[in-house]
Amino acid sequence: MTARLVDVAQRAGVSRATASRVIAGTPRNVAPDLVERVERAARELGYRTNQSARALRTGTTGTLGVVVPSLANPYFVQLIEALSRRVRADGGVLVVSDAANSPDIEAREIDTLVNGKVDGLIVVPVTTAASGAAIRAAAPVRPIVQFDRWAEGAGTVAVAMDNHAAISMLIDHLRGLGREKIALVAAEQSSSSGAERSAAFADRLGASGRTIVLPSITTDAGRKAGRRVLKMRGDVDAVVCAADVLAIGLVTTLNRAGVAVPAEVAVTAFDDTAILEVLDPPLTSIRHPLDEMADRAIALLHADQAEREERVERFAPELVVRASSGTVQEH
């Protein structure tokens, strides 16, 4: 039998009104121990909020939306999972939309969601230059927070990782292993995250760093980069890839050509998606603090509008070291 609110109240030993305030997320004047009892009772009984009743009572549905550039990139799937865990923990629902790497599709998806029944929207902008207008236009309709990337003129806060710190961590790691001829493999810099990673690489290495720029962020693009690295053998002893999918394609190409990773060329990735651990060799990568970022993004959606003024809040990256970057080289 489906648990009812009255069942939760009886299990917790509180009034129905108290249980309702806790479940609705508005436990004003409710003692912390009672809040804990109600939440525990709801979990034990498997209670699910009646979203229709909630909408009538509070004007909210408990539904949030997220628009990502592409579901073909496993990093964005990982990002959605982090947001979804946080939304489910609050008893809500996350609606996911794929912009297909198109600012025009992105604008339509944003408009559809904010004029639908979502209480707020999280957007991972497709491009820095072209995504801001749609976000700015939608912000007066529903609370919006940018996530992982930011767009120019969006008019709202962005929650993102510190890409400059991440690139510095990778370079310091490789240099600490005796690697000095380091190349960057990146895509065309239409996104803020991509541009920041390329800029950070140039700032650290200047003319000594080589950059291979590709038209897309795909494993096929990574394979193309691998073929270019093969032609640069002797001039490159380490590669920093600006995305996991690029690193996967690159390492596959090097392996098939008989180039030992990391003995001849060390490789690092960026995003730390799950597949990296099962590759040969497993790839060193940068891990985003997605759970922390998700907590902050959702808190900002529920905050006063003044707290969502346009800015970028940065979160610290984590370096996950695996076999692809090797050990200290002897000279």
Side-chain angles (χ1 to χ4, degrees):
M1 185 177 68
T2 302
R4 302 166 299 168
L5 182 62
V6 65
D7 300 321
V8 174
Q10 290 175 351
R11 171 71 68 93
V14 300
S15 69
R16 189 181 185 283
T18 296
S20 177
R21 288 200 298 274
V22 174
I23 295 297
T26 56
R28 293 185 297 272
N29 302 319
V30 179
D33 64 315
L34 296 184
V35 172
E36 183 179 349
R37 279 161 48 185
V38 171
E39 291 176 342
R40 183 170 62 248
R43 288 195 301 271
E44 291 172 349
L45 292 170
Y47 175 77
R48 293 181 178 275
T49 304
N50 184 321
Q51 298 294 349
S52 297
R54 175 178 178 169
L56 289 171
R57 184 176 65 253
T58 68
T60 65
T61 64
T63 302
L64 298 179
V66 58
V67 181
V68 297
S70 172
L71 288 172
N73 187 331
Y75 167 64
F76 293 125
V77 176
Q78 185 169 281
L79 179 156
I80 289 167
E81 288 175 347
L83 289 168
S84 184
R85 285 194 298 272
R86 177 65 172 79
V87 172
R88 284 198 307 271
D90 287 344
V93 175
L94 185 69
V95 178
V96 178
S97 181
D98 181 348
N101 285 316
S102 165
D104 291 336
I105 294 175
E106 176 184 56
R108 291 198 295 271
E109 296 298 324
I110 289 172
D111 183 68
T112 297
L113 287 170
V114 299
N115 288 293
K117 294 183 178 181
V118 298
D119 297 332
L121 183 62
I122 293 169
V123 178
V124 183
V126 171
T127 76
T128 307
S131 295
I135 297 172
R136 178 177 285 277
V141 182
R142 293 285 188 274
I144 298 182
V145 171
Q146 301 175 87
F147 196 89
D148 186 68
R149 302 174 173 183
W150 51 268
E152 294 173 347
T156 190
V157 65
V159 173
M161 191 183 67
D162 188 335
N163 286 295
H164 283 76
I167 289 293
S168 287
M169 291 174 82
L170 291 171
I171 291 172
D172 290 342
H173 171 65
L174 290 168
R175 281 181 163 174
L177 296 171
R179 311 284 176 159
E180 294 295 337
K181 295 179 285 187
I182 305 172
L184 173 71
V185 170
E188 291 181 346
Q189 305 312 316
S190 60
S191 72
S192 63
S193 56
E196 288 173 352
R197 292 167 198 177
S198 292
F201 186 83
D203 288 346
R204 283 296 308 272
L205 296 186
S208 69
R210 295 172 176 267
T211 300
I212 299 172
V213 180
L214 303 157
S216 62
I217 303 177
T218 61
T219 52
D220 184 58
R223 286 190 287 270
K224 291 177 182 176
R227 291 192 289 271
R228 292 178 61 178
V229 169
L230 289 174
K231 295 177 181 179
M232 299 161 62
R233 288 181 66 184
D235 295 325
V236 172
D237 63 8
V239 180
V240 171
C241 294
D244 283 354
V245 290
L246 295 173
I248 292 167
L250 183 139
V251 168
T252 300
T253 299
L254 295 183
N255 284 341
R256 288 175 178 172
V259 175
V261 177
E264 295 179 70
V265 179
V267 178
T268 66
F270 207 111
D271 293 332
D272 198 41
T273 48
I275 194 174
L276 299 189
E277 294 187 61
V278 300
L279 293 177
D280 184 19
L283 295 184
T284 293
S285 190
I286 288 292
R287 178 177 295 167
H288 299 243
L290 287 176
D291 288 333
E292 184 181 356
M293 290 166 59
D295 284 346
R296 180 57 177 160
I298 292 171
L300 285 166
L301 285 178
H302 294 303
D304 292 336
Q305 184 176 351
E307 294 190 43
R308 290 191 298 277
E309 65 180 13
E310 188 167 3
R311 66 188 186 282
V312 181
E313 293 191 3
R314 306 270 184 197
F315 290 75
E318 178 186 354
L319 175 64
V320 181
V321 177
R322 300 189 180 95
S324 69
S325 52
T327 57
V328 177
Q329 292 184 309
E330 294 183 3
H331 296 281

